[in-house]
Amino acid sequence: MSSKAFIRVFIFLTFCCSTLLCQLVVNVKNKGDEVIVESIHANTTSDTVTLEYLNTDGTLVTLFIDFKSEAQLFKVIMPGEEELGDTQPQTICFITRFSHSDFISSDAMSKLRQKNPTAIRTPEEEKAPGTYTHDLRVDLVKSHVISPHIYNVCQDAVDSIHFTESDLRTISRSLSKDYATMMSAMEKHEPTKYARCMDTQEIDRPCLCRFDLCIGWYPCGLKYCRGKDTVGKVVSYRCGIKTCKRCLTFFHVVDTKRGCLWDV
């Protein structure tokens, strides 16, 4: 077995083991009509939700939402490109501000029950694509100033944890955090100074990398119905969830084109 195949099998087995403990398993088709299996788990104690799936190319994607810190972490683990002499998996973390209206609460998520784990789910709404241009690189050791969960989720990314200054400002105001303290954990970049990696010929030259991912199915809101209570009064009650799909594009600066070999 090649090292690339071994890494893919290892990631797949790790993913399958984690799904045994997950709360919800969802099957959803991607644009190529391939079935992607998502696992979703809610932790009401820490007020977090984790969504994870293994892409058909062997890439493992984890979405971790920290409701208290208003931050969501996208962790991506990609198998190495053996044909290009890169046999080690690569891990990247993208951090964005989280809006509570984008996902149901961890408490509501914890109350969902699996009805038919083999069914193919179709989202009710496809959200407009989102684009983030990351101009900050986060120091893993100081990452707790954003969220206490970044260290555990992104520790394998080390020098590839990316954030945006605009989201940093918004979170600092919303949670009354000291902006200067938060900025002290960041390394500033100017994405406009760099050429796209796809247009860069020198393999050791820094460039602006693009990465795309899609969350094919997730609970994006609650549904409410109207009815009458025992005395005939009209009341509103929760009667289901609304599901969505969203695709995102992340731009970030890499030290060399070697860190962005997929952007061609």
Side-chain angles (χ1 to χ4, degrees):
M1 178 183 291
S2 68
S3 58
K4 184 174 181 179
F6 175 79
I7 291 169
R8 288 188 177 181
V9 169
F10 174 77
I11 291 176
F12 176 74
L13 289 175
T14 302
F15 173 75
C16 288
C17 289
S18 67
T19 59
L20 295 177
L21 302 175
C22 76
Q23 179 179 307
L24 205 64
V25 175
V26 178
N27 302 297
V28 58
K29 285 187 178 180
N30 61 16
K31 290 183 179 179
D33 263 355
E34 300 163 310
V35 176
I36 302 295
V37 181
E38 295 181 356
S39 66
I40 311 176
H41 175 75
N43 187 323
T44 56
T45 302
S46 61
D47 200 10
T48 61
V49 168
T50 304
L51 183 154
E52 189 173 56
Y53 68 88
L54 184 69
N55 225 332
T56 54
D57 63 357
T59 300
L60 181 63
V61 177
T62 302
L63 166 59
F64 183 93
I65 299 175
D66 178 359
F67 287 85
K68 292 180 181 177
S69 300
E70 295 186 1
Q72 57 183 346
L73 321 177
F74 295 88
K75 181 176 72 172
V76 181
I77 303 177
M78 292 166 287
E81 296 291 341
E82 191 173 84
E83 305 82 32
L84 300 175
D86 181 16
T87 59
Q88 297 300 313
Q90 181 177 351
T91 304
I92 308 175
C93 269
F94 302 105
I95 306 174
T96 68
R97 177 179 176 271
F98 172 72
S99 173
H100 287 259
S101 61
D102 289 341
F103 207 103
I104 65 174
S105 68
S106 61
D107 181 65
M109 186 70 223
S110 70
K111 290 180 171 61
L112 296 183
R113 294 295 176 262
Q114 191 82 52
K115 291 184 178 180
N116 186 357
T118 61
I120 305 296
R121 305 294 179 183
T122 302
E124 299 168 76
E125 178 184 341
E126 182 165 350
K127 296 279 190 179
T131 300
Y132 295 89
T133 300
H134 296 272
D135 52 1
L136 300 176
R137 187 177 294 173
V138 182
D139 183 338
L140 177 64
V141 176
K142 300 178 181 179
S143 62
H144 61 275
V145 300
I146 305 170
S147 165
H149 301 283
I150 294 176
Y151 190 91
N152 287 333
V153 175
C154 299
Q155 59 182 311
D156 293 332
V158 187
D159 297 322
S160 297
I161 307 172
H162 305 279
F163 199 24
T164 66
E165 188 172 4
S166 59
D167 277 351
L168 183 70
R169 288 185 183 277
T170 302
I171 288 177
S172 67
R173 288 194 300 266
S174 177
L175 301 180
S176 299
K177 291 187 175 182
D178 183 64
Y179 174 74
T181 300
M182 297 182 78
M183 269 302 290
S184 67
M186 309 296 156
E187 178 185 349
K188 178 76 173 177
H189 289 284
E190 295 292 343
T192 55
K193 292 183 178 181
Y194 298 88
R196 279 284 307 279
C197 289
M198 64 182 297
D199 300 321
T200 302
Q201 300 301 317
E202 299 89 344
I203 194 69
D204 293 320
R205 190 179 183 87
C207 52
L208 186 64
C209 182
R210 171 177 177 162
F211 188 87
D212 299 294
L213 65 81
C214 290
I215 305 298
W217 187 101
Y218 64 97
C220 54
L222 298 174
K223 289 182 178 179
Y224 289 90
C225 299
R226 295 176 67 84
K228 293 184 179 181
D229 61 14
T230 55
V231 296
K233 182 181 177 180
V234 176
V235 294
S236 177
Y237 61 94
R238 193 171 72 189
C239 57
I241 61 170
K242 177 183 177 182
T243 59
C244 294
K245 170 186 177 179
R246 193 177 192 199
C247 294
L248 302 169
T249 296
F250 301 101
F251 289 99
H252 61 289
V253 176
V254 292
D255 294 331
T256 70
K257 186 176 179 177
R258 296 179 188 276
C260 187
L261 294 176
W262 60 85
D263 190 12
V264 294

